[in-house]
Amino acid sequence: MLLSHAFGLFTHPGEEWASIRKEHETPRRVYVAYVLILAAIAPISAYISTAYFGWTVGNERLIKLTEISALQLSVLTYLAMLVGVFALGYAINWMAKTYGAKEEYVPSNGIALAAYSCTPLFLAGFALLYPVPWFNAIVFLIAACYGAWLMYDGLPIVMGIEKERAVMYAGALLTVALVILVSTRVGSVILWNFGVGPVFISG
C-alpha cells in the first residue's frame, strides 16, 4: 500500500526512496492512492477550524468563516495542491536530462518524487485544527524544510543521478516550487475578485 511510504520517509528515507524507485508506479496510481488522500488533510482541517473553531484577533474577538465560504476556500486549496504536485512532478521530469537523469515519456518517477517529498506538508495539515497563526506557520515551515531535504535525498536515488548534481537539481526545483506557490496565491486573489473570497463572521 502506497500510504505505508509516508511512515517510512520519516524513519528510513533512503530505503523508502529505493523502494519507491523499484515500484515505478504510474502517476495515476500515485495520485489516486496517495496524493488525493493525504492532500485532503489540510483542506478538511482548515474547513473544520475556520467554520467551527474560529480564531481570535488582537481584541480577543472570535472570528470564523461562514460554512459556505470555508468550504469554497478548502476546495480551492485542495485543487491547488493537486495541481501543484503535478506541476512539480512535471518539472522534475522536464529538467531530468539537464542534470544527467533519464527523461521519461510517462513521468512516473518525477510525479512520485514530487508526491512523496510533499508528505511532510500534507501531514502538517493536521496543525490547522489548532487555528493559531504563529503555531501553524512554525509547523509548516518545519514541514517545508523537511520536504526540501527529502527531495534532495531522493533525487539521486529515484532519478538515478550523481549525488553531486542533486544540489543544483534540488535548488532549481525549489525555485519552481516557489513559483508554483506564488502562482496559486495570485490565482486565489483573482478568484476573490469574482466573489470566492472569505466571508467572515463574529463568533
Side-chain angles (χ1 to χ4, degrees), residues 6 21 23 26 45 58 102 107 121 144 163 176-177:
R21 175 177 172 81
E23 286 175 354
T26 63
S45 298
K102 179 182 178 183
L121 288 169
K163 198 169 183 65
V176 172

Side-chain angles (χ1 to χ4, degrees), residues 56-195:
T56 56
V57 290
N59 59 2
E60 300 300 321
R61 184 179 58 174
L62 187 65
I63 301 296
K64 298 180 181 179
L65 294 178
T66 63
E67 292 187 24
I68 293 177
S69 178
L71 180 60
Q72 288 177 335
L73 294 177
S74 295
V75 170
L76 288 175
T77 299
Y78 184 56
L79 293 177
M81 293 171 70
L82 298 182
V83 172
V85 171
F86 179 82
L88 184 58
Y90 181 86
I92 291 172
N93 189 58
W94 180 67
M95 288 190 279
K97 287 185 177 180
T98 303
Y99 296 96
K102 179 182 178 183
E103 183 179 8
E104 300 175 306
Y105 179 72
V106 178
S108 301
N109 285 336
I111 294 294
L113 183 63
Y116 293 118
S117 294
C118 289
T119 299
L121 288 169
F122 292 153
L123 298 180
F126 283 118
L128 295 175
L129 290 172
Y130 183 60
V132 177
W134 65 264
F135 172 75
N136 296 157
I138 291 174
V139 171
F140 275 94
L141 178 61
I142 294 173
C145 290
Y146 188 65
W149 183 85
L150 275 179
M151 179 173 291
Y152 165 72
D153 186 58
L155 273 170
I157 301 173
V158 178
M159 301 305 291
I161 63 172
E162 298 175 2
K163 198 169 183 65
E164 292 72 22
R165 295 191 177 189
V167 177
M168 294 182 292
Y169 201 170
L173 292 173
L174 288 177
T175 302
V176 172
L178 287 174
V179 171
I180 294 171
L181 179 62
V182 171
S183 299
T184 56
R185 294 303 90 192
V186 171
S188 298
V189 173
I190 294 174
L191 288 174
W192 289 1
N193 293 328
F194 287 94

